[in-house]
Amino acid sequence: MSFAGTSRPRPRWFHARTELDDFAIVSYRVDADALARHLPPGFAPMKMTFDDGPGALVSAVAFRDRDFHFRFFPPVGIDCGQINYRAYVTAYGKPGVWFFGTRLDHPVVAIPQHLWGMPWSRERIAIEADWDADPARWRLVAGDARCEAAELTREPLTRLAGFTDESDWLERLTHPTQGWYRRRDGKVGVYSIWHPPMRPRYLVADSARFPLFERLGLITPDASPHSVLAQPRLSFDIHTPPRRFRPET
């Protein structure tokens, strides 16, 4: 693997920690101009060149949180499903992701929603995976969102449409460490995370619907995902709390 990841920031007492099970990034190719209409000033889609022309990417990132806890209060762990809806962008030239919203299957959603003004809401989420099957399978049911996918090959994925090489897609698609979102007060918020480099397995969607992207005018109901990259388990640091975004940050 050519991408070595990023240095881990020193964990602080107020950060959070979680294990992510049955993790999958379901991505769609979208029109960059359509995506740009949803971004604030200073933000731009991360444009890519595909075999048949230019475009951009958005992803539904779904997983099951296991033992999510704040470092200052480790005895209480939270286990639940979560989906992050994101787009790959630059903010004043800095790469990262723009979050359209997050769905969480737990009452603790009230903390990011009301305390930090984040675009989070509660939703029933079911994620199942069989990593030992031949082929391995992954399944999501969450409100009006659905996805069923099966592993295409156990061989390492080296080329992915729109990216120059393995290092490129590993860094840009699987390893953004900073994200921005529209706060409930209309301002832009920012937060960061860290995780080790992914070693994803390449799946192909038998069926998929993510109506949130449809309502934004980014995909159609019959759109097929650009890719499904999945991994049985991934450790995450979350650098809580988020803060208001200033271009110099």
Side-chain angles (χ1 to χ4, degrees):
M1 183 179 297
S2 54
F3 177 63
T6 54
S7 299
R8 183 185 187 187
R10 181 171 65 89
R12 307 294 296 275
W13 65 270
F14 47 81
H15 289 169
R17 179 75 174 163
T18 187
E19 298 294 322
L20 308 183
D21 291 336
D22 301 329
F23 181 96
I25 303 173
V26 184
S27 302
Y28 286 88
R29 176 181 170 180
V30 300
D31 179 77
D33 291 337
L35 175 56
R37 290 194 285 271
H38 296 286
L39 303 177
F43 288 72
M46 192 180 293
K47 295 183 179 179
M48 307 168 65
T49 301
F50 297 87
D51 291 342
D52 58 351
L57 285 178
V58 299
S59 297
V61 183
F63 49 85
R64 292 187 297 108
D65 280 296
R66 177 169 51 83
D67 194 30
F68 177 99
H69 63 274
F70 294 98
R71 294 179 64 89
F72 63 85
F73 197 37
V76 177
I78 296 169
D79 302 324
C80 63
Q82 182 172 332
I83 307 175
N84 297 326
Y85 292 95
R86 72 191 193 188
Y88 301 86
V89 304
T90 58
Y92 296 87
K94 185 172 184 176
V97 287
W98 176 262
F99 285 95
F100 294 111
T102 290
R103 306 292 183 263
L104 191 75
D105 193 1
H106 197 280
V108 79
V109 71
I111 293 177
Q113 185 181 56
H114 298 293
L115 182 61
W116 299 330
M118 302 179 79
W120 287 41
S121 59
R122 190 172 182 186
E123 188 166 72
R124 181 81 63 178
I125 299 171
I127 299 173
E128 301 173 353
D130 186 345
W131 300 105
D132 296 323
D134 187 14
R137 302 197 65 86
W138 183 89
R139 182 173 183 265
L140 164 75
V141 177
D144 56 5
R146 302 283 191 279
C147 185
E148 293 194 25
E151 191 166 29
L152 180 66
T153 174
R154 291 300 299 267
E155 295 299 318
L157 179 65
T158 56
R159 186 180 185 277
L160 197 60
F163 297 93
T164 57
D165 53 28
E166 180 189 42
S167 182
D168 187 25
W169 63 260
L170 279 169
E171 181 174 6
R172 289 202 285 164
L173 183 60
T174 75
H175 206 83
T177 58
Q178 191 158 58
W180 304 272
Y181 59 93
R182 182 77 69 182
R183 291 166 46 103
R184 291 164 64 90
D185 62 6
K187 305 292 186 180
V188 174
V190 59
Y191 77 101
S192 61
I193 58 90
W194 177 89
H195 62 80
M198 282 187 66
R199 290 174 171 78
R201 293 161 66 169
Y202 184 46
L203 281 63
V204 173
D206 299 324
S207 62
R209 281 287 306 274
F210 291 95
L212 184 146
F213 290 143
E214 297 169 20
R215 292 190 289 270
L216 291 171
L218 299 175
I219 64 173
T220 58
D222 60 348
S224 297
H226 160 273
S227 57
V228 180
L229 302 178
Q231 185 164 317
R233 184 169 294 112
L234 189 63
S235 298
F236 251 65
D237 291 342
I238 304 99
H239 305 140
T240 49
R243 59 196 185 279
R244 290 191 179 186
F245 174 66
R246 296 176 176 84
E248 67 273 16
T249 62

